[in-house]
């Protein structure tokens, strides 16, 4: 199975995903994969398939979807459901945009707390 090494457009999320996967592979298999290698993506996907780490396997699925988008509709769904990995923990990223009325009502409803006490604005 030969997968192209780069997606159609390289962005910050793609590079960040490669770096995190590289760290997981290095920790579990004690193998260093340089991102500059021509077959780095294939190596990372191979070791992710062998891994017992579920987070690494999920990252491999996300990487495959970045490399080979199956359909335009699915690509848009993937953009809406972006996941940010912070220290190996998946955190969904909110991509919805709020209107000015919603954001101003949200600002009014929030409380400011300073050293355990509510501060009025």
């Amino acid at each position: 199975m030969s997968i192209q090494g780069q997606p159609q457009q390289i962005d910050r999320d793609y590079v960040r995903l490669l770096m995190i996967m590289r760290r997981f592979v290095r920790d579990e298999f004690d193998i260093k994969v340089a991102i500059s290698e021509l077959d780095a993506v294939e190596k990372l996907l191979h070791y992710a398939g062998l891994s017992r780490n579920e987070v690494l396997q999920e990252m491999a699925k996300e990487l495959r979807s970045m490399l080979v988008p199956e359909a335009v509709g699915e690509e848009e769904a993937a953009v809406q459901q972006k996941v940010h990995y912070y220290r190996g923990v998946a955190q969904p990223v909110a991509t919805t945009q709020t209107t000015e009325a919603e954001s101003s009502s949200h600002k009014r409803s929030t409380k400011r707390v300073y050293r355990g006490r509510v501060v009025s604005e």
Side-chain angles (χ1 to χ4, degrees):
M1 175 170 97
S2 178
I3 298 176
Q4 296 297 325
Q6 296 178 350
Q8 294 175 353
Q9 182 178 8
I10 297 176
D11 60 349
R12 178 180 253 164
D13 294 331
Y14 174 74
V15 174
R16 185 177 294 139
L17 185 64
L18 289 179
M19 298 298 285
I20 294 171
M21 286 180 69
R22 188 179 85 146
R23 189 175 335 126
F24 275 119
V25 167
R26 185 182 62 224
D27 291 344
E28 187 172 350
F29 297 103
D30 198 30
I31 294 176
K32 294 182 181 178
V33 178
I35 300 298
S36 60
E37 294 178 16
L38 295 176
D39 61 343
V41 174
E42 291 179 4
K43 285 183 180 179
L44 289 173
L45 290 173
H46 171 73
Y47 286 113
L50 299 175
S51 176
R52 291 175 282 160
N53 188 344
E54 293 177 8
V55 175
L56 183 58
Q57 293 171 1
E58 289 296 320
M59 287 183 198
K61 289 178 186 177
E62 187 175 342
L63 181 61
R64 281 191 190 100
S65 70
M66 285 180 173
L67 295 175
V68 185
E70 295 174 7
V72 176
E74 292 180 12
E75 184 177 322
E76 291 174 2
V79 169
Q80 292 176 355
Q81 298 175 357
K82 281 192 176 184
V83 176
H84 175 71
Y85 290 95
Y86 178 71
R87 295 185 179 180
V89 179
Q91 299 173 345
V93 176
T95 58
T96 59
Q97 297 177 354
T98 58
T99 62
E100 290 182 27
E102 290 175 351
S103 62
S104 64
S105 66
H106 177 70
K107 288 179 183 176
R108 285 187 225 131
S109 65
T110 58
K111 297 180 196 175
R112 297 184 112 204
V113 179
Y114 179 73
R115 295 189 177 184
R117 295 178 188 241
V118 178
V119 179
S120 61
E121 291 185 37

